[in-house]
Amino acid sequence: MKFQTVYRTNADYIESWKKLELNPRIERVYESRKGHLVFKFRNTNLRVELVEATGRLIIYYRDESEKESYFPLLKEVLATKDGSHVEIQPLHANVFRIPYPEPKEFKIAWCNRKTTYLKKGCDPWIWCLAPLATGLSILLVSK
């Protein structure tokens, strides 16, 4: 599965860039075509984008455990303009791909909280009653 989680942050683009270039945990820092500050942690697939215009922080990851291990480091590697504490608040998460057959359950992590989604089915006898109920209502309406 591939995930994208979006956060609101007060991190500054230029100050964060300076701090990221000096950090040995960061493999690569660059500016995307859209003008986002993009960086990648060493030995991981986790990629982070800082969009200063909207104050958004976007994290792309494949495995939830990968994100959980690197999320606490984000406040250490980012910086604000006035040197205050970096704030990161979750906004939403996107799931790009769910493998088929879909898993019975999968988890989405926001910050330190997890939400588990369970796949629930309905009883087969409901499928027998559904056509009868809709057919009966159509007969009653047409008369």
Side-chain angles (χ1 to χ4, degrees), residues 2-94:
K2 188 174 179 185
F3 295 96
Q4 171 190 1
T5 307
V6 180
Y7 300 90
R8 179 177 292 124
T9 185
N10 63 343
D12 182 59
Y13 190 94
I14 295 173
E15 294 300 319
S16 293
W17 188 306
K18 291 176 187 176
K19 194 171 178 181
L20 287 165
E21 284 184 331
L22 300 174
N23 196 317
R25 293 180 184 148
I26 304 301
E27 181 178 313
R28 185 175 176 212
V29 181
Y30 61 96
E31 185 177 30
S32 72
R33 287 185 291 178
K34 293 182 180 181
H36 302 174
L37 173 63
V38 181
F39 61 96
K40 186 175 179 294
F41 286 98
R42 288 194 189 281
N43 303 322
T44 181
N45 291 322
L46 188 85
R47 186 171 57 97
V48 182
E49 288 185 20
L50 177 61
V51 186
E52 187 180 29
T54 58
R56 305 288 166 109
L57 183 71
I58 307 168
I59 301 174
Y60 298 93
Y61 58 101
R62 293 182 194 272
D63 187 6
E64 186 179 333
S65 62
E66 181 178 62
K67 182 177 160 277
E68 287 176 359
S69 61
Y70 286 95
F71 185 80
L73 300 175
L74 285 176
K75 291 184 179 182
E76 293 177 23
V77 299
L78 296 174
T80 59
K81 191 176 278 189
D82 58 359
S84 62
H85 183 69
V86 175
E87 297 176 11
I88 300 174
Q89 302 166 340
L91 293 177
H92 64 270
N94 297 327

Side-chain angles (χ1 to χ4, degrees), residues 24 33-34 50 54 68 106 108 113 116 129 141 143:
R33 287 185 291 178
K34 293 182 180 181
L50 177 61
T54 58
E68 287 176 359
F106 61 94
I108 297 176
R113 295 170 283 178
T116 302
L129 294 177
V141 171
K143 286 185 177 185

Side-chain angles (χ1 to χ4, degrees), residues 121-133:
C122 59
D123 293 328
W125 63 270
I126 290 177
W127 292 107
C128 297
L129 294 177
L132 292 174

